[in-house]
Amino acid sequence: MDYFVAPDSIVRRIWGKGDTILFIFAGAAAEFALNKAVDWLYFTGRLPSDPLGRLFSTVEYARKIVFAERHAAERAIDTIAAIHGAVEQNRGMAIPDWAYRDVLFMLIHYSIRAFEVLERPLTETEKDEVVAVFCRVGRRMGIPELPYTYASWLSTREYHLANDLAHSAYTTDLYRQYRKHLGTFRYQLVLAGQRLVVPPHVRTLLSLPNAAWLRISLPAYRLAQRVALGRWLRSLLLPAAYQAQILALDAAPVATTLSFRPAPHATRPAIG
């Protein structure tokens, strides 16, 4: 069977483990809050009203694409593009290409960084594979000027970080919502996890607290992942309403039976 991502790809290993995905989730939540195009995520009202659910939805779409047969994955990508395009039409304005690239670049960065924090350093070839997979998604969506290698992505990523991020009223509000939906204890855990995976510039803009205690605890956490204790520790990170989704992260989505409705191919998706 022809899959969108090869069964032995490092990308499947990264996105097939709940612990890694939660660190991707935490990092993306931090950077989303700073992106200069975050107002588009406020346009529908879904992000501030349910920030955890909105991010889980993004993670689930990414996982389904990673594990899907090629045609099913392409239909899923087309559906995402069509949904975003509808939001763009409703608002009556276009989103710049850099905003679309930022989202893909976040998936690339946090996939690599989360795996390296919890597992081991990736090889250059493995990093190239991560870039190739997510940029292939972007090209299907019609996003231009995407890199083909990790080295070329890295230089572009640095430019995006320097130019596309800013602390704004949206940042403050989003973090207020994170705290509201997580509770104080989980919120502090997420802040610590974010500090481990976000780039230095993001860490500075958000004034994230020192996470030395979490870094020291990582060896014990890695050991706990091998026993039932690992799932219990993971359940501490998010509210009870999300426990089913958390547990499901360790199982690959059903890849061959996805039934995304085919949608007209969109060349300029929005990110609402």
Side-chain angles (χ1 to χ4, degrees):
M1 182 170 288
D2 185 22
Y3 288 101
F4 189 79
V5 178
D8 60 349
S9 171
I10 186 63
V11 179
R12 283 199 173 200
R13 180 173 175 187
I14 293 170
W15 284 81
K17 193 170 184 181
D19 302 279
T20 309
I21 295 169
L22 286 178
F23 272 84
I24 295 172
F25 176 98
E31 197 168 324
F32 264 124
L34 292 169
N35 194 277
K36 291 179 180 179
V38 74
D39 60 297
W40 276 87
L41 295 174
Y42 269 75
F43 176 69
T44 63
R46 293 176 183 173
L47 184 63
S49 65
D50 185 15
L52 303 183
R54 185 68 172 79
L55 287 167
F56 255 118
S57 175
T58 300
V59 165
E60 271 306 299
Y61 259 102
R63 273 168 46 82
K64 287 174 180 177
I65 291 168
V66 166
F67 289 93
E69 175 267 335
R70 182 176 299 277
H71 292 303
E74 290 174 349
R75 288 197 302 272
I77 296 167
D78 292 347
T79 298
I80 295 169
I83 292 170
H84 290 169
V87 174
E88 186 178 42
Q89 185 175 12
N90 287 339
R91 193 173 182 182
M93 56 190 296
I95 294 296
D97 293 328
W98 60 260
Y100 314 142
R101 286 191 289 268
D102 282 345
V103 175
L104 289 176
F105 286 7
M106 275 188 264
L107 292 172
I108 292 168
H109 173 88
Y110 295 109
S111 293
I112 292 171
R113 183 61 185 150
F115 186 84
E116 292 192 327
V117 164
L118 290 174
E119 301 283 344
R120 60 167 175 80
L122 291 174
T123 67
E124 202 72 12
T125 299
E126 289 172 330
K127 291 177 182 178
D128 282 344
E129 174 68 10
V130 176
V131 171
V133 165
F134 287 107
C135 286
R136 195 159 69 245
V137 172
R139 291 187 188 94
R140 177 76 184 185
M141 294 177 73
I143 302 172
E145 300 177 19
L146 293 174
Y148 285 87
T149 66
Y150 175 76
S152 59
W153 168 82
L154 197 58
S155 60
T156 307
R157 166 72 167 164
E158 290 302 320
Y159 178 85
H160 279 241
L161 287 172
N163 290 276
D164 300 349
L165 304 181
H167 198 290
S168 68
Y170 292 114
T171 311
T172 302
D173 184 65
L174 260 182
Y175 268 82
R176 186 184 300 118
Q177 297 303 324
Y178 293 160
R179 184 164 195 154
K180 173 184 175 181
H181 286 81
L182 287 167
T184 301
F185 174 68
R186 292 187 178 95
Y187 177 72
Q188 293 301 323
L189 284 178
V190 168
L191 292 183
Q194 288 177 338
R195 185 176 177 87
L196 289 182
V197 295
V198 300
H201 184 52
V202 173
R203 193 182 310 147
T204 299
L205 287 174
L206 291 171
S207 300
L208 290 173
N210 188 291
W213 64 270
L214 182 56
R215 191 180 300 276
I216 293 171
S217 303
L218 280 177
Y221 184 78
R222 292 188 191 105
L223 181 62
Q225 291 179 74
R226 302 176 185 178
V227 296
L229 178 62
R231 285 195 169 192
W232 176 78
L233 289 172
R234 188 191 307 165
S235 70
L236 293 177
L237 296 177
L238 290 170
Y242 296 92
Q243 295 306 308
Q245 290 99 315
I246 294 171
L247 294 177
L249 293 177
D250 279 330
V254 179
T256 58
T257 59
L258 296 180
S259 56
F260 293 98
R261 184 178 58 191
H265 189 65
T267 57
R268 288 182 59 87
I271 58 171

PDB file of all heavy atoms in Angstrom, residues 206-217:
ATOM      1  N   LEU A 206       8.234  35.305  25.898  1.00  0.00           N
ATOM      2  CA  LEU A 206       7.215  34.848  26.845  1.00  0.00           C
ATOM      3  C   LEU A 206       7.674  34.910  28.299  1.00  0.00           C
ATOM      4  O   LEU A 206       6.876  34.668  29.205  1.00  0.00           O
ATOM      5  CB  LEU A 206       6.798  33.415  26.503  1.00  0.00           C
ATOM      6  CG  LEU A 206       6.020  33.233  25.208  1.00  0.00           C
ATOM      7  CD1 LEU A 206       5.852  31.757  24.882  1.00  0.00           C
ATOM      8  CD2 LEU A 206       4.657  33.913  25.275  1.00  0.00           C
ATOM      9  N   SER A 207       8.964  35.199  28.513  1.00  0.00           N
ATOM     10  CA  SER A 207       9.525  35.211  29.874  1.00  0.00           C
ATOM     11  C   SER A 207       9.198  33.918  30.613  1.00  0.00           C
ATOM     12  O   SER A 207       8.727  33.925  31.759  1.00  0.00           O
ATOM     13  CB  SER A 207       8.983  36.418  30.661  1.00  0.00           C
ATOM     14  OG  SER A 207       9.322  37.625  30.021  1.00  0.00           O
ATOM     15  N   LEU A 208       9.443  32.802  29.933  1.00  0.00           N
ATOM     16  CA  LEU A 208       9.123  31.504  30.525  1.00  0.00           C
ATOM     17  C   LEU A 208      10.027  31.226  31.726  1.00  0.00           C
ATOM     18  O   LEU A 208      11.215  31.545  31.702  1.00  0.00           O
ATOM     19  CB  LEU A 208       9.279  30.397  29.481  1.00  0.00           C
ATOM     20  CG  LEU A 208       8.231  30.402  28.365  1.00  0.00           C
ATOM     21  CD1 LEU A 208       8.581  29.376  27.303  1.00  0.00           C
ATOM     22  CD2 LEU A 208       6.835  30.137  28.921  1.00  0.00           C
ATOM     23  N   PRO A 209       9.485  30.623  32.781  1.00  0.00           N
ATOM     24  CA  PRO A 209      10.261  30.375  33.999  1.00  0.00           C
ATOM     25  C   PRO A 209      11.327  29.312  33.789  1.00  0.00           C
ATOM     26  O   PRO A 209      11.249  28.494  32.861  1.00  0.00           O
ATOM     27  CB  PRO A 209       9.200  29.884  34.990  1.00  0.00           C
ATOM     28  CG  PRO A 209       8.134  29.287  34.119  1.00  0.00           C
ATOM     29  CD  PRO A 209       8.104  30.137  32.886  1.00  0.00           C
ATOM     30  N   ASN A 210      12.314  29.336  34.649  1.00  0.00           N
ATOM     31  CA  ASN A 210      13.376  28.329  34.598  1.00  0.00           C
ATOM     32  C   ASN A 210      12.787  26.939  34.792  1.00  0.00           C
ATOM     33  O   ASN A 210      11.938  26.727  35.659  1.00  0.00           O
ATOM     34  CB  ASN A 210      14.403  28.619  35.688  1.00  0.00           C
ATOM     35  CG  ASN A 210      15.621  27.733  35.566  1.00  0.00           C
ATOM     36  OD1 ASN A 210      15.544  26.531  35.789  1.00  0.00           O
ATOM     37  ND2 ASN A 210      16.736  28.324  35.203  1.00  0.00           N
ATOM     38  N   ALA A 211      13.246  25.987  33.969  1.00  0.00           N
ATOM     39  CA  ALA A 211      12.703  24.624  34.034  1.00  0.00           C
ATOM     40  C   ALA A 211      13.783  23.607  34.384  1.00  0.00           C
ATOM     41  O   ALA A 211      13.725  22.457  33.973  1.00  0.00           O
ATOM     42  CB  ALA A 211      12.051  24.258  32.711  1.00  0.00           C
ATOM     43  N   ALA A 212      14.766  24.050  35.160  1.00  0.00           N
ATOM     44  CA  ALA A 212      15.871  23.153  35.504  1.00  0.00           C
ATOM     45  C   ALA A 212      15.366  21.900  36.214  1.00  0.00           C
ATOM     46  O   ALA A 212      15.865  20.796  35.980  1.00  0.00           O
ATOM     47  CB  ALA A 212      16.880  23.891  36.372  1.00  0.00           C
ATOM     48  N   TRP A 213      14.354  22.058  37.070  1.00  0.00           N
ATOM     49  CA  TRP A 213      13.842  20.910  37.811  1.00  0.00           C
ATOM     50  C   TRP A 213      13.257  19.859  36.865  1.00  0.00           C
ATOM     51  O   TRP A 213      13.386  18.656  37.096  1.00  0.00           O
ATOM     52  CB  TRP A 213      12.776  21.356  38.820  1.00  0.00           C
ATOM     53  CG  TRP A 213      11.545  21.933  38.185  1.00  0.00           C
ATOM     54  CD1 TRP A 213      11.307  23.230  37.875  1.00  0.00           C
ATOM     55  CD2 TRP A 213      10.382  21.205  37.758  1.00  0.00           C
ATOM     56  NE1 TRP A 213      10.078  23.385  37.284  1.00  0.00           N
ATOM     57  CE2 TRP A 213       9.478  22.161  37.205  1.00  0.00           C
ATOM     58  CE3 TRP A 213      10.005  19.876  37.791  1.00  0.00           C
ATOM     59  CZ2 TRP A 213       8.235  21.816  36.688  1.00  0.00           C
ATOM     60  CZ3 TRP A 213       8.772  19.516  37.274  1.00  0.00           C
ATOM     61  CH2 TRP A 213       7.904  20.463  36.731  1.00  0.00           C
ATOM     62  N   LEU A 214      12.605  20.326  35.767  1.00  0.00           N
ATOM     63  CA  LEU A 214      12.018  19.380  34.820  1.00  0.00           C
ATOM     64  C   LEU A 214      13.111  18.680  34.015  1.00  0.00           C
ATOM     65  O   LEU A 214      13.027  17.479  33.753  1.00  0.00           O
ATOM     66  CB  LEU A 214      11.055  20.108  33.880  1.00  0.00           C
ATOM     67  CG  LEU A 214      10.311  19.228  32.860  1.00  0.00           C
ATOM     68  CD1 LEU A 214       9.536  18.121  33.560  1.00  0.00           C
ATOM     69  CD2 LEU A 214       9.368  20.081  32.010  1.00  0.00           C
ATOM     70  N   ARG A 215      14.128  19.429  33.632  1.00  0.00           N
ATOM     71  CA  ARG A 215      15.239  18.826  32.891  1.00  0.00           C
ATOM     72  C   ARG A 215      15.916  17.738  33.724  1.00  0.00           C
ATOM     73  O   ARG A 215      16.246  16.666  33.217  1.00  0.00           O
ATOM     74  CB  ARG A 215      16.260  19.904  32.499  1.00  0.00           C
ATOM     75  CG  ARG A 215      17.301  19.428  31.506  1.00  0.00           C
ATOM     76  CD  ARG A 215      18.272  20.547  31.180  1.00  0.00           C
ATOM     77  NE  ARG A 215      17.609  21.692  30.590  1.00  0.00           N
ATOM     78  CZ  ARG A 215      17.324  21.786  29.308  1.00  0.00           C
ATOM     79  NH1 ARG A 215      17.647  20.804  28.475  1.00  0.00           N
ATOM     80  NH2 ARG A 215      16.716  22.860  28.833  1.00  0.00           N
ATOM     81  N   ILE A 216      16.083  18.011  35.001  1.00  0.00           N
ATOM     82  CA  ILE A 216      16.694  17.029  35.898  1.00  0.00           C
ATOM     83  C   ILE A 216      15.801  15.799  36.042  1.00  0.00           C
ATOM     84  O   ILE A 216      16.275  14.667  36.207  1.00  0.00           O
ATOM     85  CB  ILE A 216      16.956  17.667  37.281  1.00  0.00           C
ATOM     86  CG1 ILE A 216      18.031  18.755  37.153  1.00  0.00           C
ATOM     87  CG2 ILE A 216      17.370  16.619  38.300  1.00  0.00           C
ATOM     88  CD1 ILE A 216      18.209  19.592  38.407  1.00  0.00           C
ATOM     89  N   SER A 217      14.476  16.012  35.957  1.00  0.00           N
ATOM     90  CA  SER A 217      13.524  14.914  36.142  1.00  0.00           C
ATOM     91  C   SER A 217      13.331  14.063  34.901  1.00  0.00           C
ATOM     92  O   SER A 217      12.731  12.983  34.982  1.00  0.00           O
ATOM     93  CB  SER A 217      12.151  15.490  36.550  1.00  0.00           C
ATOM     94  OG  SER A 217      12.245  16.264  37.720  1.00  0.00           O
TER      95      SER A 217
END
